[in-house]
Amino acid sequence: MINKSANGLMFVISGPSGVGKGTIYNIVLEKMPFIKRSISVTTRQPRVGEAEGINYYFKTIEEYQQMIANGDFLETASVFQNYYGTPKAPILTMLEHGDDVMFEIDVEGAKQIKTKYPACIQIFIMTPTLKILEDRLRGRGTESKESLKIRLNGARGEIEQFKQFDYLVFNDNLDEAVESVMSIIKAEKSRMMMHKNTIYKILND
Ligand code: 5GP
């Protein structure tokens, strides 16, 4: 049985580029379908196989800037020369319905969400060494030489911000990393303070 709280919980998965956070995120969402996916808005071009409204909402820079001006974002950051942001309205609706939401965003966006919603649960994904991170980024084969350099330079700065996070998960072995993230979610959903009313209801039934 999965505990449902009055207001949904926010789980943020973050970490440097190439660490495998997107893979972990997708597997955890598959295994825990009660958690809702946050679909981000971006100005980057869709990759082969990506679809509007499934992977991202793809916008032009002008459309994106209009959304910023309208105050439509929970957080927004410039990542590797493109904008990425979390649209506010759908997330607030999910949380008000008591649904838990999980985000896969960069460290700057994670910081913005923590400032606005200190109760959000932030998980930092790391590789055991920087060399492993570099090898993974090269092996992925999706990055140009220039992009690889930008991502590696950014990684050190992102790792240095580890203190804002609540949990650290090493992605040394994918299955173990997924298990760790799921254990964190289960533990957070079992916190007594969130279920006081459930206990009173059981006692009074
Ligand atoms: P990609 O272009 O590979 O899909 O994503 C690049 C980076 O942008 C990843 O580190 C990813 O976590 C981050 N990202 C994706 N969506 C968001 C978002 O809504 N906000 C922020 N701040 N970062 C995001």
Side-chain angles (χ1 to χ4, degrees), residues 24 128 136 169-180:
I24 295 172
R136 281 199 197 155
V169 168
F170 279 112
N171 185 15
D172 196 6
N173 170 293
L174 181 61
D175 291 341
E176 283 174 22
V178 167
E179 274 308 314
S180 297

Side-chain angles (χ1 to χ4, degrees), residues 13 15 17 21 40-41 44 47 50 56 75-77 79-80 84-86 104-106 108-110 140 151:
I13 304 271
S17 174
K21 59 186 186 293
S40 300
V41 178
R44 90 150 157 70
R47 293 186 186 128
E50 285 185 335
Y56 283 103
E75 60 76 31
T76 168
V79 191
F80 312 128
Y84 294 80
T86 304
E104 187 254 296
I105 57 177
D106 86 318
E108 167 56 30
R140 206 157 79 167
R151 283 173 192 249

Side-chain angles (χ1 to χ4, degrees), residues 4 9 23-24 26 33 46 48 64 72 87 90 106 123 136 140 147 164 166 170 172 180 190 192 196 204-205:
K4 192 157 170 122
L9 303 181
T23 308
I24 295 172
N26 286 323
V48 177
Y64 195 96
D72 288 343
D106 86 318
I123 305 169
R136 281 199 197 155
R140 206 157 79 167
S147 157
Q164 76 188 50
D166 302 300
F170 279 112
D172 196 6
S180 297
S190 301
M192 188 57 86
K196 272 190 300 201
N204 291 324
D205 271 350

